[in-house]
Amino acid sequence: MAATEFTTDPALALVQQDSRADWVRLRTLLVLRWLAILGQTVAVVIAAFYLGLRVELGLCFLAIGASVISNLVAMGIFPENQRLSDRDAMLTLLFDLSQLSFLLFLTGGLNNPFSLLILAPVTISATALTMRSTLILGLLAIFLISCLALWYLPLTTTSGQVLQLPGLFILGFWSSIVIGILFLSAYARRVASESHRMTQALLATQMALAREQKLTDLGGVVAAAAHELGTPLATIKLTSSELVDELQDHPDLAADAALIRDQADRCRDILRSMGRAGKDDLLLRRAPFGTVVQEAAEPHADRGITVNFNFHGADADGAFAPEQQPQIWRKPEIIHGIRNLVQNAVDFADEQIWVEGEWDDDTIRLRITDDGAGFPVDLLGRLGEPFLRRRNRTSQGARPGYEGMGLGLFIAKTLLERSGATIKFLNTSDPFLTAEDTHGLSGARVQVTWPVAALVLDPSTESAPLGLNQPIID
């Protein structure tokens, strides 16, 4: 049993893609640029007219004016909701980086404390653009900051005094900016990637739950329709058959009665093959715990791996004894979560898996164990996280095209925890586990534990009348 599950669902495959196309709106970058323009203008004005520094005002306002013109042109050509491709966003940030570097060249290079702002375009790129764009901007920023350490127009006062830091401070400032570019871009990219992957995984979980809910509803529709329409259709067929026998002397009427009988049979056949939006059969919403688990495992029971089921209760002394199974609600998240765990076990079992359920007055436990190689030890503490990247050559060779990403176990863990369960992943080959803990089995194991109150029907609800079937609302 491995840490990941193979899925061929096109919807899940879609959300697995880590595409960063069209993440950034043009309006966002334009607003940031307007703020930069305002800050640059205020800084130049204060430096020239209040601090008494000699600044190349013409060239400085030329650089600031280029940003203003660029913003106005972009606002006039593109709509406000325009989203930039990765290439366009990179070129926009590249312009901002070049414009800021030119301003720093005019105002003292690294002697200007505002040279720290060169980190901004690279950090934005690391958050929203691809690795390629971030590398281009990062390397260019390091190149420009290195040039500014050597070539720049010095800052001078009106009295002719040159404001310049010692060479050691310039070297330290350059080193801090370069380290900041590398560290902040890596940090921002890591956090943004984790957030994006978690969003994708949660979206996949919602899609899986919605699909399971539709399948559950459809099964209820078909069963409810067959159950509710079975009696009137049988009555129609019986009555029409009697009419056919009694109307032998009236061929036209006998033919109509035969037609009614045939259409009743046709309705019966339709109900067997499909269902239409109707009522939800409340009887199908609850079932014994073992029945729900077997239903969840059924799609993977005929894949060449033996699936062994064992369900039992525990008495007050802790000895296992047969008991009446607790009645639980057939929630889609429980069925889909257990199904994912069983699929993962079947994928990596050698010959058989064991699905065991037990319960007492406080908890209900489900153990799914296989006879495979077990979970990879280095991933054991991370199981349940989405998009685990680990290649297993043995698994790849046994299953060509297999490319697990941990999404299946994440979906199972998320859905089951939503139902109130706690999940534990372990290997039965663990030397710290006793024979009583492993029950003589080997391989990987997933243990799911529910509090009785979170899963089992209230005794008063279990014995109460079901009531009328409720309409299914789309």
Side-chain angles (χ1 to χ4, degrees):
M1 189 173 186
T4 52
E5 177 200 355
F6 177 57
T7 176
T8 57
D9 192 323
L12 298 186
L14 177 63
V15 299
Q16 288 172 5
Q17 298 175 1
D18 189 18
S19 173
R20 298 193 176 212
D22 302 334
W23 272 28
V24 182
R25 286 194 309 166
L26 176 62
R27 178 181 177 83
T28 301
L29 295 184
L30 293 184
V31 170
L32 293 176
R33 186 179 289 172
W34 281 124
L35 294 176
I37 290 171
L38 177 62
Q40 292 169 359
T41 303
V42 172
V44 170
V45 170
I46 291 178
F49 297 102
Y50 292 94
L51 300 180
L53 299 178
R54 291 181 179 178
V55 179
E56 296 290 341
L57 289 178
L59 293 177
C60 287
F61 284 120
L62 176 64
I64 296 174
S67 290
V68 173
I69 294 174
S70 175
N71 262 20
L72 294 176
V73 171
M75 293 174 62
I77 295 178
F78 301 102
E80 290 188 359
N81 60 350
Q82 174 74 25
R83 290 193 176 272
L84 299 177
S85 65
D86 179 77
R87 175 177 173 275
D88 293 337
M90 184 196 70
L91 292 177
T92 302
L93 294 175
L94 185 61
F95 173 84
D96 294 335
L97 186 63
S98 303
Q99 188 262 0
L100 177 60
S101 299
F102 182 64
L103 270 180
L104 292 174
F105 169 77
L106 298 174
T107 55
L110 294 190
N111 294 283
N112 189 333
F114 290 106
S115 57
L116 187 65
L117 293 176
I118 207 167
L119 295 171
V122 183
T123 304
I124 294 175
S125 175
T127 303
L129 304 186
T130 61
M131 178 65 73
R132 176 176 174 272
S133 298
T134 303
L135 286 176
I136 292 175
L137 289 172
L139 293 176
L140 181 61
I142 294 175
F143 172 76
L144 292 175
I145 209 70
S146 301
C147 293
L148 290 174
L150 302 175
W151 300 289
Y152 55 89
L153 296 181
L155 285 173
T156 58
T157 63
T158 53
S159 61
Q161 180 183 2
V162 177
L163 302 179
Q164 187 170 0
L165 294 172
L168 183 61
F169 281 85
I170 293 294
L171 177 61
F173 199 19
W174 175 87
S175 300
S176 66
I177 293 178
V178 171
I179 293 174
I181 291 174
L182 298 176
F183 175 76
L184 288 180
S185 58
Y187 182 84
R189 183 169 187 84
R190 179 70 176 179
V191 172
S193 297
E194 289 291 336
S195 176
H196 177 56
R197 289 184 176 184
M198 184 59 66
T199 301
Q200 287 182 309
L202 291 176
L203 175 59
T205 303
Q206 294 173 355
M207 294 169 65
L209 180 59
R211 183 177 64 251
E212 190 64 37
Q213 181 67 58
K214 289 181 179 179
L215 293 175
T216 302
D217 289 343
L218 181 59
V221 166
V222 175
H227 175 71
E228 294 190 7
L229 295 180
T231 299
L233 286 176
T235 302
I236 293 173
K237 182 178 180 180
L238 177 61
T239 304
S240 59
S241 298
E242 292 178 351
L243 288 175
V244 170
D245 295 335
E246 294 177 1
L247 296 175
Q248 295 296 331
D249 298 334
H250 301 79
D252 295 338
L253 297 178
D256 292 339
L259 178 61
I260 295 174
R261 181 186 59 190
D262 294 340
Q263 293 303 309
D265 289 337
R266 184 182 177 190
C267 291
R268 179 197 60 194
D269 296 336
I270 292 175
L271 288 174
R272 289 178 178 176
S273 61
M274 61 178 295
R276 298 182 182 274
K279 295 181 179 179
D280 184 16
D281 194 341
L282 298 181
L283 181 62
L284 299 177
R285 286 301 181 185
R286 59 191 190 182
F289 174 67
T291 302
V292 175
V293 174
Q294 289 179 342
E295 176 189 351
E298 182 181 3
H300 307 291
D302 299 325
R303 295 178 51 193
I305 300 296
T306 302
V307 181
N308 303 290
F309 295 99
N310 184 17
F311 303 100
H312 48 253
D315 59 22
D317 297 330
F320 297 117
E323 244 179 53
Q324 181 180 1
Q325 295 190 16
Q327 294 280 328
I328 68 172
W329 291 111
R330 293 178 61 255
K331 296 181 179 179
E333 56 265 33
I334 295 177
I335 295 175
H336 193 83
I338 295 175
R339 182 170 296 158
N340 271 16
L341 296 180
V342 172
Q343 176 180 347
N344 203 66
V346 170
D347 283 341
F348 294 94
D350 292 335
E351 296 181 356
Q352 56 184 331
I353 69 171
W354 297 268
V355 180
E356 303 171 285
E358 63 181 48
W359 51 87
D360 52 32
D361 293 337
D362 300 319
T363 60
I364 295 180
R365 290 173 293 277
L366 175 68
R367 290 188 299 268
I368 301 175
T369 312
D370 66 55
D371 61 350
F375 291 118
V377 178
D378 58 322
L379 294 182
L380 197 56
R382 297 174 53 200
L383 296 181
E385 296 181 9
F387 303 103
L388 294 177
R389 297 284 188 177
R390 185 184 189 277
R391 298 281 183 159
N392 187 307
R393 293 184 179 180
T394 302
S395 299
Q396 289 281 357
R399 297 166 179 83
Y402 182 89
E403 190 171 350
M405 303 180 72
L407 192 59
L409 288 184
F410 171 81
I411 291 175
K413 184 173 183 292
T414 302
L415 292 179
L416 292 174
E417 287 178 344
R418 178 182 296 185
S419 69
T422 57
I423 302 180
K424 182 187 296 184
F425 301 95
L426 50 92
N427 288 323
T428 55
S429 57
D430 192 325
F432 297 101
L433 295 179
T434 65
E436 182 180 354
D437 295 328
T438 61
H439 296 273
L441 306 180
S442 62
R445 169 176 292 173
V446 180
Q447 180 168 302
V448 187
T449 305
W450 290 273
V452 166
L455 194 63
V456 179
L457 273 65
D458 184 83
S460 59
T461 303
E462 183 176 350
S463 59
L466 293 177
L468 296 176
N469 292 331
Q470 301 299 314
I472 295 177
I473 301 177
D474 293 335

